Amino acid sequence: MAQQIADTEEWKALDSHFSAIKDVHLRDLFEGDPTRGETMVLETGDLYLDYSKNRCTAETVELLVALARRAGVEQLRDAMFAGAKINITEDRSVLHVALRAPADERIMVDGVDVVPQVHRVLDSMGDFANRVRSGSWTGHTGRRIRNIVNVGIGGSDLGPRMATVALADFADRSLTNRFVSNVDGTDFYEATRDLDPEETLFIIASKTFTTLETMTNARTARSWLLDALVDEGAVAKHFVALSTNTDEVTKFGIDPANMFEFWDWVGGRYSFDSAIGLSVMIAIGPQRFAEMLAGMHAMDEHFRTAPIEANMPMLMGLIGIWYNDFFGADTVAVLPYSQYLVHLPAYLQQLDMESDGKSVTRSGERVGYQTGPIVWGQPGTNGQHAYYQLIHQGTKLIPCDFIGFAQPNQVVGDHQDLLAANLFAQPEALAFGKTRAQVEAEGVDPSQVPHRVFEGNHPTNTIMATQLTPYTLGQLVACYEHKVFTQGAIWNINSFDQWGVELGKQLAQKIIPELQDASEPNLAHDSSTNALIRRYRRQRTS
Ligand code: F6P
């Protein structure tokens, strides 16, 4: 068996450092170095990362940086930027960074510069978005398009959905944006029940154009439209496709002229800045979309050039590894103090968990260490009144990323300062807690004291930007993309395939006829699955 990262000197050095530091309290770290709140920070573009409230010293960072060097993170990063086929199980380049490369850059895949293709598609998306926004692209009956329904799932849904909501303040408010992803028919029903077909545009977003959920919803959308407009010719004015698969788009009945293309070197969960972002572009306009791409590119350049210890995504990745692999933390909470970022945790869930939820190395050996964490969260302050109790006083270690902005998108009374006060209070409470002596000094009944103690020492990052804009959103998303990359590189896993989604898909295909056949099927599953199917068949028809 080849040497794994956990067998290296660098990992072992971290292991012994962990034994020395694991019980050191953040209170002591801050007491020992009162300036760490100003020194353990990084700034790039409009993003500011305060990582001082982590259970790390300068030595921890040094050892983590050495681990990254040993794992060859920089080499793999350079290979990605150079278009090498680092997605080895699918023999593909990994070039979401090319989606935001300026027109004068050159990035080669199989001897072809892909940057001109990217800009050709961006231009045609821009042209189409402007036509919809101005009303010059009309529906079949000549009415203006007012409703945009994105039909997609996974990476063809979560990114556009997250960004459209995140950037609502920059959107044309006369347009309604809806998203349909679930094969549960109620998702389609609820998204369309109050829409006028004559004013509705469906964007069918699917990299493969074969995904069961999306194709089912797309066919339902087609029937919904034709029930009202009757003429098959209406499809051309009410359906566009975003895909890499021209053949399947054509088979579905969408004119390839109405298809916006992307490429197999764009992973689904890394695609909302490709044609998959058309719904975002229609909402905020091509200029704002370009600003988002510029923010992503700025972070790409930072990731590509900054030394590891000053590299925001690399450092975030390394700190994550410190908790995941040494402290044994299973999860990471992402807590945006912005209601506009309500869908960011779900977006990051796919980005991180589909990328780094792997248990074999790039050469196929079982890993001897923990890989990708469980990612979860929702906007503060809502979570404070729900699950923060467990983060503060439970038995689990949950590293948290707090994300916030100095300026609100909408000034509403003094809400912003209240929001920001909570953003600063929670990491402070998590880090420093409240000691037994402090509780006792409050004159609390002795029997109550243990319940009111906050142990503290809960680690957090705080990420701040001036305001949530297309540019800062772009920076933030690219930062997380590269954080996930960094961790996958250290764990020596392939962050860019997703074979783990296949088995369930295959089994579902087998079960569909077993639910629908008129005659009792011959079931050959395990006894549990057989019994569930039989029960479903009985209840469905009773
Ligand atoms: O099943 C998982 C997955 O392949 C994701 O990786 C992807 O984002 C999603 O399904 C949707 O795929 P597609 O865009 O091809 O419909």
Side-chain angles (χ1 to χ4, degrees):
M1 192 161 124
Q3 190 193 40
Q4 294 199 348
I5 190 67
D7 304 323
T8 61
E9 286 312 310
E10 288 76 3
W11 187 285
K12 287 178 190 151
L14 276 159
D15 237 346
S16 34
H17 177 63
F18 171 71
S19 307
I21 200 183
K22 66 181 173 23
D23 296 321
V24 175
H25 202 287
L26 278 164
R27 282 195 285 259
D28 301 322
L29 292 177
F30 271 83
E31 221 173 87
D33 174 9
T35 65
R36 63 184 269 143
E38 286 135 44
T39 54
M40 294 181 86
V41 300
L42 278 184
E43 203 161 357
T44 178
D46 197 29
L47 288 195
Y48 175 84
L49 168 70
D50 171 358
Y51 63 97
S52 64
K53 294 194 189 82
N54 280 292
R55 291 163 72 171
C56 294
T57 60
E59 187 187 354
T60 322
V61 174
E62 239 170 67
L63 294 171
L64 287 167
V65 168
L67 182 74
R69 286 231 164 80
R70 175 62 184 253
V73 174
E74 293 157 302
Q75 286 79 357
L76 194 69
R77 172 201 61 192
D78 294 347
M80 172 175 78
F81 276 91
K85 299 200 171 173
I86 62 167
N87 176 356
I88 42 175
T89 61
E90 296 179 306
D91 194 28
R92 288 177 183 165
S93 304
V94 174
L95 273 179
H96 41 280
V97 293
L99 298 170
R100 49 261 191 163
D104 58 358
E105 253 181 46
R106 275 165 70 81
I107 301 179
M108 309 298 283
V109 176
D110 292 330
V112 177
D113 179 7
V114 297
V115 178
Q117 305 171 25
V118 167
H119 283 268
R120 177 176 46 75
V121 174
L122 278 173
D123 288 346
S124 60
M125 287 166 67
D127 181 48
F128 180 74
N130 281 334
R131 287 167 75 192
V132 173
R133 287 164 64 85
S134 69
S136 73
W137 177 282
T138 58
H140 185 59
T141 59
R143 296 254 293 272
R144 193 174 173 162
I145 295 294
R146 297 196 180 278
N147 315 309
I148 317 293
V149 184
N150 187 82
V151 177
I153 197 163
S156 301
D157 167 71
L158 292 164
R161 189 191 290 258
M162 178 276 292
T164 303
V165 174
L167 301 176
D169 192 41
F170 300 85
D172 177 343
R173 303 285 191 157
S174 70
L175 296 171
T176 298
N177 294 287
R178 298 273 165 86
F179 293 86
V180 177
S181 55
N182 201 323
V183 76
D184 179 346
T186 57
D187 198 15
F188 182 85
Y189 170 76
E190 291 295 339
T192 54
R193 55 183 282 279
D194 56 347
L195 302 185
D196 182 342
E198 291 184 60
E199 298 182 343
T200 300
L201 174 75
F202 287 100
I203 298 179
I204 312 300
S206 176
K207 180 175 172 180
T208 55
F209 233 72
T210 56
T211 303
L212 172 85
E213 291 88 340
T214 302
M215 290 303 104
T216 306
N217 279 319
R219 279 191 294 274
T220 300
R222 203 168 193 280
S223 311
W224 180 85
L225 184 88
L226 293 179
D227 280 352
L229 302 187
V230 183
D231 182 358
E232 283 273 341
V235 171
K237 297 295 266 176
H238 293 266
F239 276 77
V240 297
L242 319 175
S243 189
T244 58
N245 193 340
T246 316
D247 290 349
E248 288 297 328
V249 168
T250 315
K251 261 193 238 161
F252 180 82
I254 296 179
D255 185 344
N258 288 347
M259 168 176 157
F260 299 90
E261 160 195 30
F262 61 113
W263 307 273
D264 72 357
W265 41 262
V266 182
R269 52 194 175 273
Y270 297 88
S271 69
F272 90 95
D273 46 336
S274 72
I276 289 292
L278 183 64
S279 55
V280 184
M281 194 193 266
I282 293 173
I284 64 173
Q287 178 53 37
R288 294 294 194 186
F289 195 84
E291 288 167 21
M292 185 183 81
L293 296 183
M296 297 181 106
H297 180 66
M299 183 54 76
D300 295 341
E301 283 303 284
H302 169 76
F303 177 59
R304 195 173 67 76
T305 57
I308 302 177
E309 59 281 5
N311 192 308
M312 195 179 284
M314 284 196 191
L315 203 59
M316 285 175 64
L318 289 168
I319 292 170
I321 286 193
W322 181 229
Y323 297 120
N324 190 76
D325 291 281
F326 296 90
F327 281 85
D330 284 330
T331 83
V332 173
V334 180
L335 308 165
Y337 277 61
S338 160
Q339 192 58 30
Y340 280 136
L341 291 180
V342 61
H343 297 304
L344 183 70
Y347 169 76
L348 294 180
Q349 241 167 17
Q350 186 201 13
L351 177 68
D352 203 326
M353 294 169 78
E354 208 173 63
S355 295
D356 286 347
K358 310 288 161 63
S359 51
V360 296
T361 63
R362 290 165 68 79
S363 54
E365 283 159 0
R366 174 90 201 177
V367 295
Y369 40 86
Q370 287 292 311
T371 61
I374 299 160
V375 178
W376 60 284
Q378 58 172 282
T381 58
N382 299 7
Q384 290 174 205
H385 298 273
Y387 50 77
Y388 277 41
Q389 165 65 39
L390 185 148
I391 307 180
H392 282 286
Q393 285 190 318
T395 53
K396 297 187 167 49
L397 180 72
I398 302 180
C400 303
D401 285 355
F402 284 81
I403 301 170
F405 302 91
Q407 296 173 9
N409 291 85
Q410 296 295 333
V411 179
V412 182
D414 64 351
H415 287 230
Q416 170 64 16
D417 288 343
L418 304 188
L419 179 68
N422 279 282
L423 165 67
F424 303 137
Q426 288 297 330
E428 185 180 12
L430 285 165
F432 302 103
K434 196 174 192 182
T435 61
R436 173 170 277 273
Q438 286 171 311
V439 177
E440 283 168 352
E442 286 173 354
V444 167
D445 182 291
S447 69
Q448 292 276 326
V449 171
H451 303 280
R452 308 216 181 184
V453 168
F454 288 70
E455 281 178 14
N457 217 12
H458 298 290
T460 60
N461 288 314
T462 302
I463 300 172
M464 284 208 65
T466 312
Q467 194 183 44
L468 178 56
T469 62
Y471 188 88
T472 51
L473 181 73
Q475 271 206 298
L476 191 63
V477 168
C479 184
Y480 276 99
E481 286 177 348
H482 299 321
K483 173 200 167 183
V484 169
F485 177 98
T486 300
Q487 297 191 331
I490 290 173
W491 292 320
N492 189 24
I493 54 179
N494 181 3
S495 301
F496 301 102
D497 61 11
Q498 56 284 317
W499 297 108
V501 302
E502 293 303 324
L503 179 58
K505 286 186 192 173
Q506 282 165 15
L507 292 177
Q509 286 299 343
K510 184 168 171 223
I511 292 173
I512 292 167
E514 294 172 347
L515 305 180
Q516 294 180 337
D517 278 1
S519 57
E520 196 66 32
N522 211 352
L523 297 176
H525 305 274
D526 58 277
S527 61
S528 160
T529 310
N530 286 346
L532 289 166
I533 292 172
R534 284 198 199 100
R535 186 178 173 81
Y536 175 83
R537 284 181 61 96
R538 273 197 315 276
Q539 288 188 331
R540 186 174 189 254
T541 49
S542 64

